[in-house]
Amino acid sequence: MVLKKRRKYVLSKWIKTKVLLGNGDARSHIPDTRKFSKSTLTTMLKLYGMVYVKPEIGTHGKGVIRVEKRGGAEYAYQLGTREKGFRDYETFYQSLVRETKKKSYLIQKGIHLVKYKKRRFDIRVMVQLSPKGVWETTALIGRVAPPKRIVTNYHSGGKLMDVKSLLSAHLSESKMKNVMHKLDKLGVATARHLHKKYPGIRQIGLDIGFDHSWIPWIIEVNTNPDPYIFNKLSDKSMYRKVMRYKRAAFKHVRGTVTQ
């Protein structure tokens, strides 16, 4: 008998955000996120001063735009290394719309991320369903944005780093352990909640950034995370575990789809 294949991937950032807002553990770590529109952009810039405009469906940080209100009636945005400034809202908005190419975009509250050597960074948290059916945080890796860029993604030029090396530039050993424990707990809670809605999901990658109070913010959740970035670390133990769990998940799915 051939069973209906369960959904393994969720592409829409908007859908994932709405699902996760239903989880108490994750909700307080999700930046205010809304559908892109002229009125919503006006409101969010008044509230936060800086926001990120990002494609609802997209990968590798492509198309992400950093948008700011700079006092008075001045506005600016950055896409890649290119920055543009404007003295009136209408011209600014129309220019921004042209960048979106009329695709579906979201607006997310801007988090002023802690930096490493003056470069923004976040942490990819890999969470997988173990061969025994238990959600586990299997790997962590730091991602540092290239100079003068806003995205940290490796495929967009970001630098991959060992998390302890990255955090030790800011935190003591005990505080670093506490932060990593929070990442572990938040990752597992997020995965469990998504799995309830989409039982076919067997791994997720959370991109988590920190503000200057060291509050973790879920910038994005990927349901088809790249496992091979962990092979870039000198310590291969995390990579081996990630791949072992990934192979087990593949065997499980293959076995349940056709039987």
Side-chain angles (χ1 to χ4, degrees), residues 167-181:
L167 295 180
S168 63
H170 298 276
L171 302 171
S172 65
E173 182 73 21
S174 60
K175 288 183 178 179
M176 186 166 60
K177 286 181 179 179
N178 184 48
V179 164
M180 292 174 73
H181 175 71

Side-chain angles (χ1 to χ4, degrees), residues 18-259:
K18 289 197 295 182
V19 171
L20 290 177
L21 285 172
N23 178 261
D25 292 316
R27 188 185 305 120
S28 60
H29 297 281
I30 298 173
D32 185 4
T33 304
R34 310 183 196 184
K35 284 273 195 175
F36 179 84
S37 72
K38 189 175 184 178
S39 60
T40 302
L41 181 63
T42 303
T43 299
M44 292 186 72
L45 283 174
K46 284 181 179 177
L47 284 172
Y48 307 119
M50 188 271 285
V51 299
Y52 283 90
V53 174
K54 54 175 63 178
E56 180 180 348
I57 297 175
T59 57
H60 301 161
K62 293 178 180 177
V64 176
I65 308 168
R66 189 176 195 264
V67 181
E68 293 181 272
K69 187 178 188 300
R70 294 178 172 174
E74 291 190 10
Y75 301 88
Y77 67 77
Q78 179 181 349
L79 176 59
T81 57
R82 180 165 52 89
E83 293 186 57
K84 286 189 174 183
F86 304 85
R87 291 190 176 277
D88 70 279
Y89 185 81
E90 189 61 33
T91 306
F92 152 75
Y93 176 73
Q94 292 302 326
S95 179
L96 194 57
V97 167
R98 286 194 291 272
E99 299 287 5
T100 67
K101 298 178 175 62
K102 296 184 179 180
K103 294 180 181 178
S104 180
Y105 268 67
L106 305 178
I107 308 173
Q108 188 177 76
K109 173 187 175 181
I111 305 300
H112 292 278
L113 298 177
V114 175
K115 295 182 179 181
Y116 175 80
K117 295 183 178 179
K118 299 182 179 180
R119 294 156 64 179
R120 298 176 181 88
F121 76 84
D122 60 23
I123 294 174
R124 166 60 61 91
V125 181
M126 189 76 164
V127 190
Q128 296 172 284
L129 204 57
S130 76
K132 294 182 179 180
V134 178
W135 282 103
E136 291 182 27
T137 296
T138 50
L140 303 172
I141 194 167
R143 312 185 312 165
V144 183
K148 299 181 180 180
R149 287 184 177 265
I150 59 174
V151 297
T152 61
N153 197 285
Y154 172 69
H155 299 284
S156 296
K159 177 183 178 181
L160 300 174
M161 284 189 64
D162 172 72
V163 168
K164 290 183 178 178
S165 299
L166 193 58
L167 295 180
S168 63
H170 298 276
L171 302 171
S172 65
E173 182 73 21
S174 60
K175 288 183 178 179
M176 186 166 60
K177 286 181 179 179
N178 184 48
V179 164
M180 292 174 73
H181 175 71
K182 285 181 180 179
L183 293 176
D184 179 2
K185 186 177 177 182
L186 183 57
V188 169
T190 302
R192 283 175 177 165
H193 189 75
L194 272 175
H195 190 245
K196 288 178 183 178
K197 179 72 174 178
Y198 301 105
I201 291 175
R202 302 189 71 80
Q203 58 183 5
I204 65 169
L206 285 84
D207 298 333
I208 296 181
F210 296 91
D211 63 21
H212 291 274
S213 298
W214 286 95
I215 295 172
W217 292 96
I218 300 173
I219 298 169
E220 200 163 310
V221 178
N222 191 328
T223 55
N224 186 27
D226 178 6
Y228 300 103
I229 58 173
F230 298 99
N231 196 33
K232 301 293 182 180
L233 296 173
S234 56
D235 180 356
K236 305 297 181 184
S237 59
M238 285 190 294
Y239 173 68
R240 287 193 290 268
K241 185 172 185 178
V242 165
M243 295 307 293
R244 188 168 73 250
Y245 280 29
K246 184 177 176 65
R247 285 191 293 269
F250 176 75
K251 289 179 182 177
H252 172 84
V253 170
R254 188 174 58 183
T256 55
V257 171
T258 304
Q259 56 174 294

